[in-house]
Amino acid sequence: MLEEKNDNLQEADGKLEIEISDSTQDNATETSEPETAAKISTSETETEAENTAEETETAHQTALDAITNSNAEESEDETLKERHDIPMQDYDTFAMDVLVDELKKLINTDKVMSVKDHIEEIKKSFLIQYNHLIEEKKEEFNASKQDPNEEFEYHSPLKSKFDEYYNVFREKRNAHFKHLQTNLKSNLENRLAIVEELKELINPQENIKDTLKHFNDLRERWKNAGAIPKDKYNHVWNNYHFHVENFYDYLHLDREARDLDFKYNLEQKQKIIARVEELANETDISKAFRELQDLHRIWKEDIGPVSKEHRDTIWNKFSELTKKIHDKREVLFESQRANEQKNLEVKKEIIGKIEVLGTEKVNSHSQWLVQIQKVEALRNEFFAAGKVPSEVNEETWAAFKTAVRNFNSFKNSFYKDIKKDQNDNLNKKMALVAKAKELQESTDFGATTPIMKQIQEEWKQIGHVPKKYSDKIWKEFKDACNHYFDKLKEYKSEENVDEVAAFDNKKAYLDILRAYQLTGDHKTDLDAIKAHIEIWKGYGKVPFSRRHIEGKFNKILDALFEKLSLSKKETEMMRFSNRIDSLSDSNDTRKLDNEKIFLMRKIEEVQNEIFQLENNIQFFANTKNAKKENSIVLEVRKNIAIHKESLELWKDKLKQLRNLGQE
């Protein structure tokens, strides 16, 4: 029994950091010397075999360390076990408002540490986008600010919400850490006390049944002892494990009871191995690794030791399967790293496209809108491209920011030139506003109305003004114009009463005029017609929509003139005089001006016709038969006479119109 005890100590010595008694140390030292001598005498072949075994052991140890480190971290805070229940999403692809919603949802969980990594990823993704937004807003502000002393300010409701939710998480996290530190310290002291009690179990004087009962109580207390600091996890567990095995191997226990316990523990560990064999074929490697962590924890903390003859074999099998899953996990990580590398290439390509857009010169606002939309689409693609290798993350982000910043600077240089033109347009429109305000109270509607209409036409021809002034200056101009035209409308409404009365009088007078009969005396009838014209004019203007009554009056006059057998010139001049009087009464200066232009053109046309006809006569006069005028020459002379008569009529009309303007 003593040899068995010493052998077990030699296995433990050098591998585990443990606390043992002086007597145990002495035994370990005595048994270590023969083993050292045996190692010196090994052959080169054995040395090579040992090197290969060491390499295998190192590979296995790497896999075991990955499990141990994960369990040590989760041992410190048991809420970390629940982090796997919440899938980690690619938050870089989320929009800012979606990130805020995700943060709000996560802070409502009581297990604050289970969402810690998720919230930190959300924070990183949100701040990247927010900082990018601030840079864009700042560049827009610098490009448009008028006052050089004005400082940039920007308030984002989304950022306020984010800060509010993140502060809630931070308060919960701090409270959790404070409570955790107190518990960790207490739990560590409790576990160290259990280890000390295990040491004292090896007491040959104590009743074996009482010792077993005490041992089982200690194991139960160990299971329920709670989390301890992760930096103490391995040391404390190894001490506990060593003394549990020491209890089984060194104490003179009831052999039958010990063997039954060994058998039970072996069965439980074989079940774990069977489950790990199934996990080795699991397609979801992350899920398999998480369950493997739990199985390692159960193996080490919940199940006791097995007999020495199975101890190494079953542990080696377990560690070999652990390495297999670990290797698959490493392959998965390699695949993820490959995806991150692909994402990096995609982001580099996007950055390159933005850099090209930052050099393409366009010359209109509409074209720049297209360029801006392209950059915005590329920006969204960049955020949706996913993670890149962590070692180049900052470098990639810096290159992206530089490309966007250069594009914005290039764009702003274009809008600075436009801004100068817009300021010129602003000055022009402000001058029109001042003019409209100056005329808005005018009551000289005949003279002012054309000017106001001209101002409105000029306004339409002037281009854009700076956006910050656009609404204000348009309102001032519109109000001034509306004020004037509302007054004009009111004035016309007052005039309409008299115009309607004039229409009614003229309508009644038409019936009198239709019934009028000529006496046969030329002078008497001509004077009577002129009197009718004066009476008609005396009634005044009629509403614009009822001016057709003037046409009816002119038709009756035409019929009377025909009966009088007046010359064509007299008739035409009387008609023209009546028409001009109507235009004069309506104060329509535009139509009078148009009439004047028309008469001048007609005079010019007739003069040109006469000149051409006279040239033709000159041609015939130089021929051999000039003394004998033929029918063609006679026709030309007749046309010349008609045109000269027409020319005199047009000149008389123009003279009458000009005299009207001088009155």
Side-chain angles (χ1 to χ4, degrees):
M1 188 67 183
L2 182 59
E3 291 177 359
E4 183 179 349
K5 175 179 178 181
N6 289 341
D7 289 342
N8 188 70
L9 279 174
Q10 180 57 46
E11 289 178 1
D13 190 30
K15 294 182 182 179
L16 304 176
E17 186 181 353
I18 55 176
E19 299 178 13
I20 54 178
S21 64
D22 292 340
S23 61
T24 307
Q25 289 280 15
D26 292 339
N27 289 334
T29 302
E30 290 174 4
T31 55
S32 64
E33 291 177 358
E35 185 173 341
T36 303
K39 285 184 180 179
I40 294 173
S41 64
T42 56
S43 65
E44 292 181 2
T45 303
E46 290 172 336
T47 302
E48 292 176 0
E50 285 182 358
N51 290 337
T52 303
E54 285 179 4
E55 291 175 0
T56 303
E57 178 64 25
T58 300
H60 284 186
Q61 192 60 43
T62 300
L64 294 172
D65 288 345
I67 297 290
T68 301
N69 292 337
S70 297
N71 283 340
E73 183 178 2
E74 292 183 2
S75 172
E76 185 175 62
D77 187 351
E78 293 181 346
T79 61
L80 293 178
K81 297 177 184 177
E82 300 176 15
R83 64 184 173 183
H84 306 302
D85 297 335
I86 305 174
M88 180 67 74
Q89 303 188 63
D90 191 358
Y91 294 113
D92 286 344
T93 63
F94 287 21
M96 290 174 64
D97 56 339
V98 180
L99 288 171
V100 171
D101 291 339
E102 284 292 313
L103 177 60
K104 180 181 180 181
K105 182 170 64 176
L106 289 175
I107 63 171
N108 289 325
T109 179
D110 293 333
K111 309 297 183 182
V112 64
M113 295 305 291
S114 66
V115 297
K116 175 179 71 71
D117 294 342
H118 299 71
I119 289 179
E120 291 305 322
E121 285 295 316
I122 288 174
K123 178 184 177 183
K124 182 180 74 174
S125 299
F126 181 88
L127 290 180
I128 285 175
Q129 295 189 53
Y130 177 72
N131 291 334
H132 181 72
L133 175 65
I134 289 296
E135 289 175 1
E136 287 185 342
K137 295 296 182 184
K138 192 169 185 178
E139 288 178 355
E140 291 176 5
F141 169 79
N142 290 332
S144 62
K145 73 176 181 179
Q146 302 290 325
D147 184 359
N149 297 321
E150 187 179 3
E151 294 186 359
F152 172 74
E153 289 185 7
Y154 180 74
H155 173 69
S156 171
L158 271 179
K159 181 63 165 59
S160 299
K161 283 187 178 180
F162 178 86
D163 291 341
E164 176 187 346
Y165 298 148
Y166 189 80
N167 287 336
V168 171
F169 161 73
R170 188 165 54 187
E171 289 173 2
K172 284 187 173 184
R173 183 188 61 188
N174 292 341
H176 173 80
F177 275 133
K178 185 176 181 180
H179 177 72
L180 182 63
Q181 290 302 319
T182 302
N183 286 346
L184 289 176
K185 183 178 179 181
S186 175
N187 294 341
L188 177 61
E189 293 173 355
N190 189 18
R191 286 186 183 271
L192 291 175
I194 292 172
V195 171
E196 290 300 320
E197 289 188 51
L198 276 173
K199 291 181 184 179
E200 302 301 326
L201 281 180
I202 304 175
N203 184 356
Q205 306 301 322
E206 189 173 334
N207 183 281
I208 189 63
K209 290 184 179 180
D210 293 337
T211 302
L212 284 173
K213 183 177 182 303
H214 191 184
F215 174 72
N216 289 330
D217 289 342
L218 290 175
R219 288 180 64 185
E220 191 64 27
R221 283 167 55 195
W222 181 269
K223 289 181 183 180
N224 300 320
I228 63 173
K230 64 181 179 181
D231 60 328
K232 305 291 184 182
Y233 176 79
N234 284 337
H235 173 71
V236 174
W237 181 86
N238 286 333
N239 265 327
Y240 170 75
H241 183 71
F242 170 77
H243 288 293
V244 168
E245 288 194 346
N246 197 33
F247 175 78
Y248 276 97
D249 293 338
Y250 298 105
L251 192 61
H252 294 286
L253 299 177
D254 181 343
R255 294 282 182 174
E256 183 177 352
R258 187 188 69 172
D259 290 343
L260 286 174
D261 200 27
F262 278 162
K263 181 181 178 182
Y264 173 77
N265 294 338
L266 179 62
E267 290 173 353
Q268 296 303 309
K269 290 187 175 182
Q270 285 173 338
K271 288 180 181 179
I272 289 178
I273 289 174
R275 177 55 186 158
V276 176
E277 287 175 336
E278 294 176 1
L279 292 178
N281 299 317
E282 172 66 53
T283 56
D284 188 343
I285 306 302
S286 297
K287 178 183 177 183
F289 187 79
R290 290 196 296 269
E291 187 172 344
L292 182 63
Q293 283 181 250
D294 293 333
L295 293 175
H296 266 264
R297 191 180 295 108
I298 294 170
W299 181 289
K300 294 173 70 173
E301 298 187 16
D302 294 349
I303 303 176
V306 300
S307 62
K308 290 182 64 176
E309 61 181 294
H310 298 296
R311 191 170 296 166
D312 291 340
T313 302
I314 198 168
W315 172 249
N316 290 338
K317 179 67 173 175
F318 187 42
S319 62
E320 182 180 340
L321 290 170
T322 296
K323 180 181 180 301
K324 188 175 181 180
I325 295 176
H326 178 267
D327 290 345
K328 283 189 174 184
R329 184 168 177 254
E330 286 300 306
V331 171
L332 175 64
F333 285 166
E334 285 297 326
S335 174
Q336 290 175 346
R337 283 189 282 270
N339 287 335
E340 290 177 355
Q341 191 62 38
K342 289 180 181 178
N343 295 341
L344 176 62
E345 297 303 319
V346 170
K347 289 192 172 183
K348 283 183 176 179
E349 184 179 352
I350 291 171
I351 292 170
K353 289 180 180 179
I354 295 175
E355 289 173 342
V356 171
L357 290 173
T359 60
E360 291 181 353
K361 190 171 183 179
V362 294
N363 298 314
S364 70
H365 174 64
S366 60
Q367 289 177 324
W368 271 111
L369 288 178
V370 173
Q371 298 293 87
I372 292 169
Q373 288 174 354
K374 288 180 181 178
V375 171
E376 187 62 25
L378 289 170
R379 178 177 174 274
N380 292 334
E381 287 180 29
F382 183 88
F383 289 122
K387 294 182 179 179
V388 300
S390 58
E391 63 270 16
V392 296
N393 185 52
E394 291 299 326
E395 176 187 343
T396 306
W397 172 241
F400 173 72
K401 286 196 297 183
T402 301
V404 174
R405 187 182 298 112
N406 290 341
F407 170 81
N408 287 332
S409 298
F410 190 54
K411 172 196 68 177
N412 291 340
S413 64
F414 168 79
Y415 282 103
K416 284 178 182 176
D417 295 336
I418 287 184
K419 185 179 176 182
K420 182 180 180 302
D421 294 337
Q422 289 183 344
N423 286 333
D424 292 341
N425 294 338
L426 176 63
N427 293 331
K428 293 176 183 178
K429 287 192 172 182
M430 288 177 68
L432 293 181
V433 169
K435 195 171 183 180
K437 286 183 175 180
E438 181 183 343
L439 295 174
Q440 67 179 352
E441 299 295 344
S442 174
T443 56
D444 186 0
F445 299 110
T448 306
T449 300
I451 299 175
M452 291 296 284
K453 289 182 178 179
Q454 181 61 32
I455 289 174
Q456 291 178 327
E457 286 301 318
E458 290 179 19
W459 182 279
K460 293 177 183 177
Q461 300 305 317
I462 299 174
H464 295 288
V465 302
K467 188 175 180 181
K468 62 189 298 185
Y469 301 109
S470 178
D471 293 342
K472 178 177 180 293
I473 196 170
W474 165 244
K475 184 177 184 304
E476 290 181 12
F477 181 71
K478 183 176 67 172
D479 289 348
C481 290
N482 287 346
H483 180 79
Y484 171 78
F485 284 104
D486 286 344
K487 286 185 64 178
L488 176 62
K489 184 178 179 181
E490 183 180 347
Y491 169 74
K492 286 185 175 181
S493 296
E494 293 174 356
E495 283 189 328
N496 282 344
V497 176
D498 296 334
E499 290 177 357
V500 170
F503 174 78
D504 293 337
N505 291 332
K506 287 186 175 183
K507 184 178 179 183
Y509 195 73
L510 280 180
D511 294 335
I512 296 173
L513 198 57
R514 288 190 186 102
Y516 173 72
Q517 296 293 326
L518 296 175
T519 62
D521 181 71
H522 182 81
K523 185 177 183 307
T524 302
D525 291 337
L526 182 59
D527 291 340
I529 291 173
K530 289 181 178 179
H532 285 306
I533 292 174
E534 290 302 320
I535 293 172
W536 182 270
K537 288 168 60 177
Y539 288 135
K541 291 190 298 182
V542 299
F544 181 82
S545 60
R546 301 183 183 184
R547 286 186 183 176
H548 60 276
I549 199 170
E550 300 292 341
K552 293 180 180 181
F553 175 70
N554 289 330
K555 285 183 179 180
I556 295 174
L557 287 183
D558 290 342
L560 292 173
F561 286 142
E562 288 178 5
K563 292 178 181 180
L564 277 177
S565 300
L566 292 173
S567 68
K568 182 178 180 181
K569 182 177 180 180
E570 287 178 315
T571 303
E572 186 64 30
M573 287 304 295
M574 289 189 71
R575 288 174 179 170
F576 179 74
S577 178
N578 182 57
R579 182 165 171 272
I580 293 304
D581 287 342
S582 297
L583 292 177
S584 179
D585 290 341
S586 66
N587 291 323
D588 195 337
T589 56
R590 183 175 59 84
K591 287 187 177 181
L592 289 172
D593 290 339
N594 290 340
E595 186 69 24
K596 186 183 296 183
I597 294 171
F598 172 74
L599 291 174
M600 294 171 67
R601 286 178 179 172
K602 290 301 292 184
I603 290 171
E604 185 179 359
E605 288 176 9
V606 174
Q607 286 176 336
N608 289 336
E609 286 289 333
I610 293 172
F611 178 76
Q612 184 65 41
L613 290 171
E614 288 177 343
N615 280 344
N616 293 342
I617 289 293
Q618 189 67 30
F619 172 77
F620 285 109
N622 293 329
T623 61
K624 294 180 179 180
N625 298 322
K627 294 181 179 180
K628 295 181 180 180
E629 294 183 342
N630 57 28
S631 59
I632 297 177
V633 174
L634 294 174
E635 184 66 29
V636 171
R637 291 188 183 282
K638 182 180 178 181
N639 282 339
I640 290 174
I642 292 172
H643 278 80
K644 286 184 176 180
E645 183 181 351
S646 174
L647 179 61
E648 290 300 319
L649 179 61
W650 292 119
K651 286 182 177 180
D652 287 343
K653 287 182 178 180
L654 181 59
K655 182 179 180 181
Q656 183 178 343
L657 187 57
R658 283 174 173 169
N659 290 336
L660 181 65
Q662 293 175 357
E663 293 178 355

